[in-house]
Amino acid sequence: MWRQAYWDEPLITEYKGKGRQGFLVPKEDLDVEIKLPEKIKRGKEPELPEVSELEVVRHFVRLSQMSFGVDTGMMPLGSCTMKYNPKIEEETGVADRTHPLQDQDTVQGNLEVMYEMQRWLAEATGMDECSLQVPAGSAGELAGVLMIRKYHRDQNRRREEMLVADSAHGTNPASAAMAGFSVIYIKSNQEGLVDLNVLKGTISDNVAGFMLTNPNTLGLFEENIKEIAELVHSVDGVLYYDGANLNGILGIVRPGDMGFDIVHLNLHKTFGVPHGGGGPGAGAVCAKGKMTKYLPYPIVSKGERYYLVKPERSIGKISVFNGNFGNLMRSYAYILGLGGKGVSMIGRMSTLATNYLIAKLRGVRGLELMAPHRFRKHEVVFSAKKLAEETGVTAFDIAKALLDRGFYAPTIYFPPNVEEALMIEPTETEPIEVLDQYANAIKDIVEKAYSNPSSITSAPQNTSVGRLDQVKANHPSTMTPTYRVLKSRLASQGRK
């Protein structure tokens, strides 16, 4: 039986001690005085908690025991690759002590790392050039659609429509809308793939591009991708690759060889950088041929030394400085550690893990699979619609019951073209014994759904926090994103 710890742990600001502190060995004895303008000086001492090192350690260890991460157990979060992050990366991530405004001659080693990352990612994706300036996947998407917009404007034309697959990540239409495009959804066919007839009937001289993921969010490979690319290119549209699902094909096929013109990558998914909890992430946006001159700047170039350049028609910067260098270092260590042979096994092993899990769950009563005869890549989406109709136990309930069994909940109710969706991505880093345990946990939940459904609909019972009121938990008036918000809310209620 798995049980999560529960501590009645106060906020660190609620510790009562005064004058307590930890100890930090000073690096140097420097007598430096910096004169600040009076107007930017604080008027009073900062309200920092006064706690000892022991109190700090116990506080955060207790909080970690009430949390769950990939170091604790499997996180099969579909469409958001959550693989194990080798700890050696942390050593490289904290090794950087340089400043982004340093003269380029003093950071040649950093620029060499960025240059090699650009070349490695270009090789892995079949693109010509990459920019590491984007801080995350959604920013990479925005960079991509801004590049598409600028390309069409350079042709002295205004394209208003951006095509998006109906199984696309929610950020795709959001990014397209932010760039000023009207979003046109392309429906999937009964096989879960882009419906070519719908695409043929939609493509026109008003189409700027098509945002597509391959494999798609059902884990299915778009087998008609060459024809899709030809259709988009026939009107001089740009084919954009959402790299969130690259894990399923890495080392097997490349987006550039399929006909994609722009690719964004999530280094915090595919390339081993820790992610979750809102970041920090790291990304890359890569381009091929005529689209390379629109990439965000800077890009590292190599001559007698490494130096930063700005592409001829760059859209500008998406973030500050040269990208999230600490996380670039983590990805650099990850790729370097695996080597070319190891990287080429990622897609194969993640695909093997997914199809092994499908085989273990095939035929489970109440769970259905679209196009069950097709192999999946990195992830699979089961529908619990039949189970919900027969027992009242929904995909939401299954996700909660998995928490009671020591697993993180999978993505649910996405993609929207699958009712009662359970989206599972096991990744290549989970051993076969854990995959077996996960499959057995789902089988156990389904069995209890038919025999004792209330035991599932009342889950979770073994976590530090039980089932929440979803409306209350998500309502702006009750969400507490920061301590300051909590303090302000309590003050408005006359409480401390």
Side-chain angles (χ1 to χ4, degrees):
M1 176 63 73
W2 180 87
R3 288 191 184 279
Q4 195 169 42
Y6 177 78
W7 296 94
D8 190 15
E9 184 66 19
L11 297 173
I12 198 164
T13 52
E14 294 172 345
Y15 275 67
K16 303 300 183 185
K18 294 293 181 184
R20 298 173 187 170
Q21 62 183 40
F23 180 73
L24 184 66
V25 178
K27 292 181 180 178
E28 297 177 85
D29 291 328
L30 297 176
D31 185 15
V32 178
E33 182 181 1
I34 301 175
K35 293 184 178 179
L36 299 175
E38 288 297 323
K39 64 180 181 181
I40 68 170
K41 289 183 179 178
R42 67 170 73 248
K44 59 181 181 179
E45 291 298 314
E47 297 178 4
L48 297 176
E50 298 178 33
V51 289
S52 68
E53 178 178 313
L54 178 62
E55 288 173 314
V56 171
V57 170
R58 285 179 177 167
H59 175 73
F60 286 104
V61 167
R62 286 168 178 167
L63 292 184
S64 74
Q65 290 174 340
M66 293 192 290
S67 187
F68 191 96
V70 75
D71 288 350
T72 311
M74 181 176 170
M75 294 190 71
L77 202 58
S79 206
C80 200
T81 306
M82 300 288 277
K83 62 175 74 177
Y84 175 72
N85 317 119
K87 295 297 172 278
I88 187 67
E89 295 175 14
E90 296 308 303
E91 296 299 319
T92 58
V94 300
D96 177 50
R97 292 290 184 269
T98 55
H99 193 279
L101 294 179
Q102 278 185 229
D103 188 279
Q104 293 180 32
D105 286 336
T106 68
V107 289
Q108 284 293 294
N110 293 20
L111 297 182
E112 181 179 1
V113 167
M114 293 176 66
Y115 178 80
E116 291 192 343
M117 280 291 290
Q118 290 173 188
R119 299 321 314 153
W120 291 347
L121 297 178
E123 174 64 25
T125 56
M127 295 283 119
D128 293 329
E129 189 57 271
C130 295
S131 166
L132 306 174
Q133 213 261 333
V134 295
S138 53
E141 289 179 22
L142 181 61
V145 291
L146 291 177
M147 291 166 63
I148 294 172
R149 185 178 70 177
K150 191 163 186 176
Y151 166 72
H152 288 297
R153 287 182 177 178
D154 277 358
Q155 313 311 309
N156 295 317
R157 63 194 180 207
R158 182 179 179 84
R159 298 281 180 101
E160 297 178 334
E161 296 177 349
M162 181 63 70
L163 307 184
V164 177
D166 66 350
S167 61
H169 298 105
T171 47
N172 283 188
S175 298
M178 286 178 68
F181 293 109
S182 297
V183 175
I184 308 295
Y185 281 102
I186 303 298
K187 286 190 174 182
S188 303
N189 59 25
Q190 292 184 337
E191 293 293 300
L193 305 175
V194 169
D195 191 319
L196 284 179
N197 290 326
V198 173
L199 180 60
K200 289 174 183 175
T202 308
I203 204 82
S204 74
D205 289 340
N206 198 27
V207 170
F210 189 8
M211 302 180 77
L212 191 62
T213 309
N214 195 17
N216 63 26
T217 48
L218 296 175
L220 295 167
F221 188 81
E222 295 284 355
E223 59 190 15
N224 300 313
I225 186 60
K226 298 293 284 186
E227 189 171 354
I228 292 171
E230 289 172 3
L231 279 169
V232 174
H233 292 156
S234 69
V235 294
D236 200 23
V238 179
L239 191 57
Y240 173 89
Y241 183 86
D242 180 336
N245 294 344
L246 184 71
N247 213 58
I249 60 168
L250 188 60
I252 304 173
V253 291
R254 308 187 304 174
D257 298 332
M258 300 179 208
F260 285 93
D261 305 294
I262 301 175
V263 172
H264 96 251
L265 302 174
N266 302 285
L267 302 184
H268 52 279
K269 290 184 180 180
T270 314
F271 294 99
V273 177
H275 85 308
V285 57
C286 307
K288 193 173 182 180
K290 63 191 179 187
M291 298 308 299
T292 59
K293 61 183 177 183
Y294 297 98
L295 283 168
Y297 77 94
I299 290 175
V300 180
S301 190
K302 182 182 179 183
E304 292 183 357
R305 63 184 183 89
Y306 298 96
Y307 56 96
L308 301 175
V309 297
K310 182 178 180 180
E312 177 187 351
R313 296 291 298 156
S314 174
I315 57 169
K317 286 191 171 186
I318 294 294
S319 183
V320 295
F321 300 124
N322 308 328
N324 191 344
F325 187 74
N327 277 345
L328 295 181
M329 285 290 291
R330 289 180 172 89
S331 271
Y332 184 80
Y334 177 77
I335 296 173
L336 203 61
L338 286 175
K341 188 176 180 180
V343 170
S344 72
M345 291 300 293
I346 291 175
R348 291 173 172 81
M349 295 305 293
S350 60
T351 297
L352 179 63
T354 302
N355 287 281
Y356 178 78
L357 198 58
I358 292 171
K360 298 286 289 186
L361 293 174
R362 194 180 297 279
V364 171
R365 185 182 176 189
L367 297 184
E368 296 176 320
L369 196 59
M370 181 186 291
H373 55 284
R374 290 182 178 274
F375 287 108
R376 263 58 176 179
K377 293 298 180 185
H378 63 305
E379 64 191 1
V380 59
V381 182
F382 286 97
S383 170
K385 180 184 175 185
K386 186 177 179 183
L387 182 74
E389 291 172 345
E390 294 179 347
T391 68
V393 171
T394 64
F396 180 83
D397 297 321
I398 295 174
K400 296 300 180 187
L402 280 167
L403 301 180
D404 270 346
R405 289 155 177 80
F407 295 101
Y408 197 81
T411 300
I412 54 175
Y413 300 108
F414 181 80
N417 57 343
V418 176
E419 292 186 65
E420 293 292 333
L422 280 167
M423 190 181 203
I424 305 167
E425 181 180 358
T427 79
E428 73 277 12
T429 55
E430 293 297 338
I432 189 170
E433 294 82 3
V434 175
L435 298 179
D436 288 338
Q437 292 165 9
Y438 188 77
N440 290 336
I442 291 182
K443 289 177 182 177
D444 179 55
I445 292 167
V446 170
E447 183 180 319
K448 285 188 168 54
Y450 282 100
S451 62
N452 183 16
S454 63
S455 67
I456 304 301
T457 55
S458 60
Q461 302 289 339
N462 300 334
T463 52
S464 56
V465 177
R467 187 174 290 215
L468 300 175
D469 181 327
Q470 297 294 309
V471 175
K472 187 176 181 181
N474 287 285
H475 197 280
S477 67
T478 52
M479 283 182 69
T480 308
T482 67
Y483 176 67
R484 285 184 177 178
V485 172
L486 174 65
K487 199 172 177 181
S488 172
R489 184 173 297 140
L490 292 176
S492 68
Q493 298 169 358
R495 299 161 58 192
K496 292 185 178 178

CSV table of all heavy atoms in Angstrom, one decimal, residues 154-176:
chain,number,residue,atom,x,y,z
A,154,ASP,N,6.9,39.8,-46.2
A,154,ASP,CA,8.1,40.0,-47.1
A,154,ASP,C,7.7,39.7,-48.5
A,154,ASP,O,8.4,40.2,-49.5
A,154,ASP,CB,9.3,39.2,-46.7
A,154,ASP,CG,10.1,39.9,-45.5
A,154,ASP,OD1,9.7,41.0,-45.1
A,154,ASP,OD2,11.1,39.3,-45.1
A,155,GLN,N,6.7,38.9,-48.7
A,155,GLN,CA,6.3,38.6,-50.1
A,155,GLN,C,5.2,39.6,-50.6
A,155,GLN,O,4.5,39.4,-51.6
A,155,GLN,CB,5.7,37.2,-50.2
A,155,GLN,CG,6.5,36.1,-49.5
A,155,GLN,CD,8.0,36.1,-49.9
A,155,GLN,OE1,8.3,36.2,-51.1
A,155,GLN,NE2,8.9,36.1,-49.0
A,156,ASN,N,5.0,40.6,-49.7
A,156,ASN,CA,4.0,41.6,-50.0
A,156,ASN,C,2.6,41.1,-50.1
A,156,ASN,O,1.8,41.4,-51.0
A,156,ASN,CB,4.3,42.4,-51.3
A,156,ASN,CG,5.6,43.2,-51.2
A,156,ASN,OD1,5.8,43.8,-50.2
A,156,ASN,ND2,6.4,43.1,-52.2
A,157,ARG,N,2.2,40.2,-49.2
A,157,ARG,CA,0.9,39.6,-49.1
A,157,ARG,C,0.5,39.4,-47.7
A,157,ARG,O,1.3,39.3,-46.8
A,157,ARG,CB,0.8,38.3,-49.9
A,157,ARG,CG,1.7,37.2,-49.3
A,157,ARG,CD,1.8,36.1,-50.3
A,157,ARG,NE,2.7,35.0,-49.7
A,157,ARG,CZ,3.4,34.2,-50.4
A,157,ARG,NH1,3.4,34.3,-51.8
A,157,ARG,NH2,4.1,33.2,-49.9
A,158,ARG,N,-0.8,39.4,-47.5
A,158,ARG,CA,-1.4,39.2,-46.1
A,158,ARG,C,-2.1,37.9,-46.1
A,158,ARG,O,-3.2,37.8,-46.8
A,158,ARG,CB,-2.3,40.4,-45.8
A,158,ARG,CG,-2.8,40.3,-44.3
A,158,ARG,CD,-3.7,41.5,-44.0
A,158,ARG,NE,-4.3,41.4,-42.7
A,158,ARG,CZ,-3.6,41.7,-41.6
A,158,ARG,NH1,-2.4,42.2,-41.7
A,158,ARG,NH2,-4.2,41.6,-40.4
A,159,ARG,N,-1.6,36.9,-45.4
A,159,ARG,CA,-2.3,35.7,-45.2
A,159,ARG,C,-3.0,35.7,-43.9
A,159,ARG,O,-2.4,36.1,-42.9
A,159,ARG,CB,-1.3,34.5,-45.3
A,159,ARG,CG,-0.6,34.3,-46.6
A,159,ARG,CD,-1.5,33.7,-47.7
A,159,ARG,NE,-0.8,33.5,-49.0
A,159,ARG,CZ,-0.3,32.4,-49.4
A,159,ARG,NH1,-0.3,31.3,-48.6
A,159,ARG,NH2,0.3,32.3,-50.6
A,160,GLU,N,-4.3,35.3,-43.8
A,160,GLU,CA,-5.0,35.5,-42.6
A,160,GLU,C,-5.3,34.2,-41.8
A,160,GLU,O,-5.7,34.2,-40.7
A,160,GLU,CB,-6.4,36.2,-42.9
A,160,GLU,CG,-6.2,37.6,-43.5
A,160,GLU,CD,-7.5,38.2,-43.8
A,160,GLU,OE1,-8.4,37.5,-44.1
A,160,GLU,OE2,-7.5,39.5,-43.8
A,161,GLU,N,-5.1,33.0,-42.5
A,161,GLU,CA,-5.6,31.8,-41.9
A,161,GLU,C,-4.4,30.9,-41.5
A,161,GLU,O,-3.4,30.8,-42.2
A,161,GLU,CB,-6.5,31.0,-42.8
A,161,GLU,CG,-7.8,31.7,-43.2
A,161,GLU,CD,-8.6,31.0,-44.2
A,161,GLU,OE1,-8.1,30.0,-44.8
A,161,GLU,OE2,-9.8,31.3,-44.4
A,162,MET,N,-4.5,30.4,-40.3
A,162,MET,CA,-3.5,29.4,-39.8
A,162,MET,C,-4.2,28.1,-39.6
A,162,MET,O,-5.2,28.0,-38.8
A,162,MET,CB,-2.8,29.8,-38.5
A,162,MET,CG,-1.7,28.9,-38.0
A,162,MET,SD,-0.3,28.7,-39.2
A,162,MET,CE,0.4,30.3,-39.0
A,163,LEU,N,-3.8,27.0,-40.2
A,163,LEU,CA,-4.4,25.7,-40.1
A,163,LEU,C,-3.8,25.0,-38.8
A,163,LEU,O,-2.6,25.1,-38.6
A,163,LEU,CB,-4.2,24.8,-41.3
A,163,LEU,CG,-4.6,25.4,-42.6
A,163,LEU,CD1,-4.5,24.4,-43.7
A,163,LEU,CD2,-6.1,26.0,-42.6
A,164,VAL,N,-4.7,24.4,-38.0
A,164,VAL,CA,-4.3,23.7,-36.8
A,164,VAL,C,-5.0,22.4,-36.8
A,164,VAL,O,-6.3,22.3,-36.9
A,164,VAL,CB,-4.6,24.5,-35.6
A,164,VAL,CG1,-4.2,23.7,-34.3
A,164,VAL,CG2,-3.8,25.8,-35.6
A,165,ALA,N,-4.3,21.3,-36.5
A,165,ALA,CA,-5.0,20.0,-36.4
A,165,ALA,C,-5.9,20.0,-35.2
A,165,ALA,O,-5.5,20.6,-34.2
A,165,ALA,CB,-3.9,18.9,-36.3
A,166,ASP,N,-7.0,19.3,-35.2
A,166,ASP,CA,-7.9,19.3,-34.1
A,166,ASP,C,-7.4,18.5,-32.9
A,166,ASP,O,-7.9,18.6,-31.8
A,166,ASP,CB,-9.3,18.7,-34.5
A,166,ASP,CG,-9.3,17.2,-34.8
A,166,ASP,OD1,-8.2,16.7,-35.0
A,166,ASP,OD2,-10.4,16.7,-35.0
A,167,SER,N,-6.3,17.8,-33.1
A,167,SER,CA,-5.7,17.1,-32.0
A,167,SER,C,-4.4,17.8,-31.5
A,167,SER,O,-3.7,17.3,-30.7
A,167,SER,CB,-5.2,15.7,-32.4
A,167,SER,OG,-4.3,15.8,-33.5
A,168,ALA,N,-4.3,19.1,-32.0
A,168,ALA,CA,-3.1,19.8,-31.6
A,168,ALA,C,-3.1,20.3,-30.1
A,168,ALA,O,-4.2,20.3,-29.5
A,168,ALA,CB,-3.0,21.1,-32.5
A,169,HIS,N,-1.9,20.6,-29.6
A,169,HIS,CA,-1.9,21.1,-28.3
A,169,HIS,C,-2.6,22.5,-28.2
A,169,HIS,O,-2.6,23.2,-29.2
A,169,HIS,CB,-0.4,21.3,-27.8
A,169,HIS,CG,0.3,20.0,-27.8
A,169,HIS,ND1,1.2,19.7,-28.8
A,169,HIS,CD2,0.3,19.0,-26.9
A,169,HIS,CE1,1.7,18.5,-28.5
A,169,HIS,NE2,1.2,18.1,-27.4
A,170,GLY,N,-3.2,22.8,-27.1
A,170,GLY,CA,-4.0,24.0,-26.9
A,170,GLY,C,-3.2,25.3,-27.2
A,170,GLY,O,-3.8,26.3,-27.5
A,171,THR,N,-1.9,25.2,-27.0
A,171,THR,CA,-1.1,26.4,-27.2
A,171,THR,C,-1.0,26.7,-28.7
A,171,THR,O,-0.7,27.9,-29.0
A,171,THR,CB,0.3,26.2,-26.6
A,171,THR,OG1,0.8,25.0,-27.0
A,171,THR,CG2,0.3,26.3,-25.1
A,172,ASN,N,-1.2,25.8,-29.6
A,172,ASN,CA,-1.0,26.0,-31.0
A,172,ASN,C,-2.0,27.1,-31.5
A,172,ASN,O,-1.6,28.1,-32.1
A,172,ASN,CB,-1.2,24.8,-31.8
A,172,ASN,CG,0.0,23.9,-31.8
A,172,ASN,OD1,0.1,22.9,-32.6
A,172,ASN,ND2,1.0,24.1,-31.0
A,173,PRO,N,-3.3,26.9,-31.3
A,173,PRO,CA,-4.3,28.0,-31.7
A,173,PRO,C,-4.1,29.3,-30.9
A,173,PRO,O,-4.2,30.3,-31.5
A,173,PRO,CB,-5.6,27.3,-31.4
A,173,PRO,CG,-5.4,26.2,-30.4
A,173,PRO,CD,-4.0,25.7,-30.8
A,174,ALA,N,-3.6,29.2,-29.7
A,174,ALA,CA,-3.4,30.4,-28.9
A,174,ALA,C,-2.2,31.2,-29.5
A,174,ALA,O,-2.3,32.4,-29.7
A,174,ALA,CB,-3.1,30.0,-27.4
A,175,SER,N,-1.2,30.5,-29.9
A,175,SER,CA,0.0,31.2,-30.5
A,175,SER,C,-0.4,31.8,-31.8
A,175,SER,O,0.0,32.9,-32.1
A,175,SER,CB,1.1,30.2,-30.7
A,175,SER,OG,1.6,29.7,-29.4
A,176,ALA,N,-1.2,31.0,-32.6
A,176,ALA,CA,-1.6,31.6,-33.9
A,176,ALA,C,-2.4,32.8,-33.8
A,176,ALA,O,-2.3,33.8,-34.5
A,176,ALA,CB,-2.3,30.5,-34.7
